[in-house]
Amino acid sequence: MPFFPSRCHGLKVQFVPIVDGMGKSQETARQTKFTPLEDIARMVTEQDREYMRQAIAIMRDAGVVNKTGGPFGVVIVKDGEVIGAAGNSVIKDNDPSAHAEVNAIRQACQTVGTWNLAGAVMYSSCECCPMCYATSYWARIDKIYYAAGWSDFEDLFDDSNISKDLTKPYPERLLAPEQILQEEAQVVWEEFRQLPDGARY
């Protein structure tokens, strides 16, 4: 049976058939561990903590001192060098997407000259919201460390509500996504598919 790689650190998932008590074949997920979770915890170094302290300092600067946005700060490191460091600037920039993670990713991509941040580690002062996690995922960041969790600031920024909303069927979501003109959009996708030099990322 084929393996399907997981973005979860240290895990691969293989779907294997099993036979239940009624003689019916079922699919079950078998996880193959490469690095035990307890070993991952031991891999956190003092240097990791120092990068996180830098992120927390940026967090305070953004939210308490300069008030550019909420108290969120991020440092991105690759090959031992800081390639991006930014705070939240939603208020300053009038941009609801200007979260610390997104700002730092944009800066890091400019620093290294590519959208692909494979091999980079993100140190975020706070647990990523769904948008920032998705942006980090698309940027191919290898690992995220965070300090404050959603429960630490849910009275002010309740990111868990967005996470819960995303698990609902479209009609039940707050913004109720609804599909229209699919056929016309498919024409463009087919056109793009034929391009020998079309963007892939």
Side-chain angles (χ1 to χ4, degrees), residues 23-147:
K24 296 180 179 179
S25 179
Q26 298 179 337
E27 291 271 276
T28 187
R30 183 174 70 195
Q31 293 182 337
T32 302
K33 294 186 178 180
F34 293 109
T35 307
L37 293 178
E38 58 270 22
D39 287 348
I40 294 173
R42 286 199 296 271
M43 287 165 59
V44 175
T45 66
E46 188 54 40
Q47 184 62 70
D48 291 320
R49 295 185 179 90
E50 180 53 36
Y51 288 135
M52 184 61 79
R53 290 187 183 101
Q54 292 178 32
I56 292 171
I58 296 171
M59 166 195 188
R60 184 174 185 277
D61 186 66
V64 178
V65 179
N66 291 321
K67 301 181 178 68
T68 58
F72 302 93
V74 168
V75 169
I76 298 176
V77 178
K78 183 175 182 180
D79 298 329
E81 294 185 13
V82 175
I83 59 173
N88 182 293
S89 61
V90 168
I91 303 301
K92 172 179 172 288
D93 295 336
N94 291 318
D95 180 357
S97 71
H99 288 200
E101 295 91 336
V102 174
N103 288 343
I105 286 171
R106 288 171 176 164
Q107 187 183 113
C109 289
Q110 291 299 310
T111 299
V112 300
T114 177
W115 56 267
N116 190 332
L117 298 181
V121 177
M122 174 183 285
Y123 299 86
S124 179
S125 66
C126 303
E127 187 174 359
C128 294
C129 75
M131 177 185 73
C132 293
Y133 182 86
T135 306
S136 303
Y137 187 100
W138 278 109
R140 305 295 194 268
I141 285 174
D142 278 12
K143 174 72 176 176
I144 297 173
Y145 291 102
Y146 68 93

Side-chain angles (χ1 to χ4, degrees), residues 179-193:
Q179 189 172 35
I180 60 174
L181 297 182
Q182 180 183 13
E183 295 82 3
E184 294 183 26
Q186 287 175 333
V187 171
V188 180
W189 272 116
E190 188 53 39
E191 193 177 7
F192 179 79
R193 217 170 258 115

